[in-house]
Amino acid sequence: AQKITQTQPGMFVQEKEAVTLDCTYDTSDPSYGLFWYKQPSSGEMIFLIYQGSYDQQNATEGRYSLNFQKARKSANLVISASQLGDSAMYFCAMREPQGGSEKLVFGKGTKLTVNP
Amino acid sequence: NAGVTQTPKFQVLKTGQSMTLQCAQDMNHEYMSWYRQDPGMGLRLIHYSVGAGITDQGEVPNGYNVSRSTTEDFPLRLLSAAPSQTSVYFCASSYGRYYTEAFFGQGTRLTVV
């Protein structure tokens, strides 16, 4: 079974609008971390935002926020006021303690295109 | 502040050749890992290490070897390259706790012909 599911292969948004990228996860561990990474066309992996399983509030980093719904096991990324430079692949990832191995598992990604 | 350094950035191999992808980090991270990225597949974990002298397999380990003799270095070896190993390879490091983000190298684009 997939640990991380991103159901939107591609998304389009108009510049200056907000967009939500979906991510659902599967774990039975009470302790885990959820991460979003951005991969522009140049190929590097850029860390955007983190949400811990015990965090009471949704994480925010500038224009990025994470809509964390623990009971639904979802961790959607919200980008406000989209910019052309936001066009990229976006990956959701999860990390569980797993007896010390703490592997980082990725979803298949969503390609976001911001239109002018 | 170099972070995670991968070499080479590009490589073309013939089927059956061997090579080593190098990865070094200068952040004193315990945890290092190798991923491969294929179109439509996201990043898949090949091997990882939780400290010097300790390595373990990830999701797609076949055809790859690793070792971790120092905290800083985590090379990935392809013993006999196959076209199925054509991919982009990323090395990552972190403090190895579930609540810490991973830092990635720039990636190596490998083509096996």
Side-chain angles (χ1 to χ4, degrees):
Chain A
Q2 277 199 332
K3 290 265 187 180
I4 297 286
T5 302
Q6 294 180 253
T7 56
Q8 307 154 314
M11 288 284 285
F12 294 86
V13 66
Q14 288 297 120
E15 196 177 5
K16 300 179 185 176
E17 292 185 349
V19 62
T20 298
L21 307 184
D22 294 341
C23 172
T24 58
Y25 59 93
D26 182 26
T27 180
S28 56
D29 201 308
S31 303
Y32 52 89
L34 297 158
F35 304 84
W36 278 91
Y37 284 84
K38 173 184 179 181
Q39 186 179 43
S41 58
S42 51
E44 71 268 33
M45 296 290 289
I46 302 168
F47 166 70
L48 293 178
I49 196 166
Y50 160 79
Q51 180 82 44
S53 58
Y54 297 113
D55 293 343
Q56 296 296 312
Q57 293 188 328
N58 288 342
T60 60
E61 288 287 348
R63 293 186 299 110
Y64 303 108
S65 61
L66 205 152
N67 184 0
F68 181 46
Q69 298 188 40
K70 194 170 182 176
R72 290 181 149 187
K73 293 188 176 178
S74 75
N76 299 338
L77 177 71
V78 181
I79 305 174
S80 63
S82 297
Q83 301 173 355
L84 296 178
D86 294 333
S87 293
M89 284 291 293
Y90 289 81
F91 293 97
C92 179
M94 179 176 66
R95 204 163 190 177
E96 309 162 278
Q98 286 192 350
S101 69
E102 290 151 339
K103 291 180 277 192
L104 187 63
V105 178
F106 285 82
K108 295 185 177 182
T110 295
K111 183 176 182 180
L112 177 66
T113 303
V114 180
N115 294 317
Chain B
N1 190 7
V4 180
T5 303
Q6 279 183 245
T7 55
K9 287 188 169 53
F10 300 94
Q11 183 70 50
V12 178
L13 285 180
K14 292 183 179 178
T15 298
Q17 285 185 320
S18 63
M19 81 160 295
T20 298
L21 305 185
Q22 301 291 344
C23 177
Q25 53 93 7
D26 62 359
M27 296 173 281
N28 202 31
H29 285 163
E30 307 163 333
Y31 189 97
M32 296 185 74
S33 51
W34 277 101
Y35 292 85
R36 60 177 288 171
Q37 183 178 23
D38 302 297
M41 299 296 292
L43 278 76
R44 293 183 292 169
L45 183 65
I46 305 171
H47 285 285
Y48 65 97
S49 168
V50 298
I54 307 169
T55 64
D56 205 346
Q57 296 180 349
E59 181 185 354
V60 287
N62 292 341
Y64 308 95
N65 276 358
V66 292
S67 60
R68 183 102 178 265
S69 56
T70 67
T71 299
E72 294 78 19
D73 300 298
F74 190 45
L76 178 72
R77 282 181 285 276
L78 285 71
L79 299 178
S80 178
S84 61
Q85 294 178 304
T86 294
S87 188
V88 179
Y89 292 85
F90 286 97
C91 177
S93 75
S94 73
Y95 284 111
R97 301 291 180 264
Y98 71 87
Y99 45 83
T100 60
E101 75 268 28
F103 296 82
F104 284 81
Q106 293 294 307
T108 297
R109 185 172 293 275
L110 176 68
T111 303
V112 182
V113 297

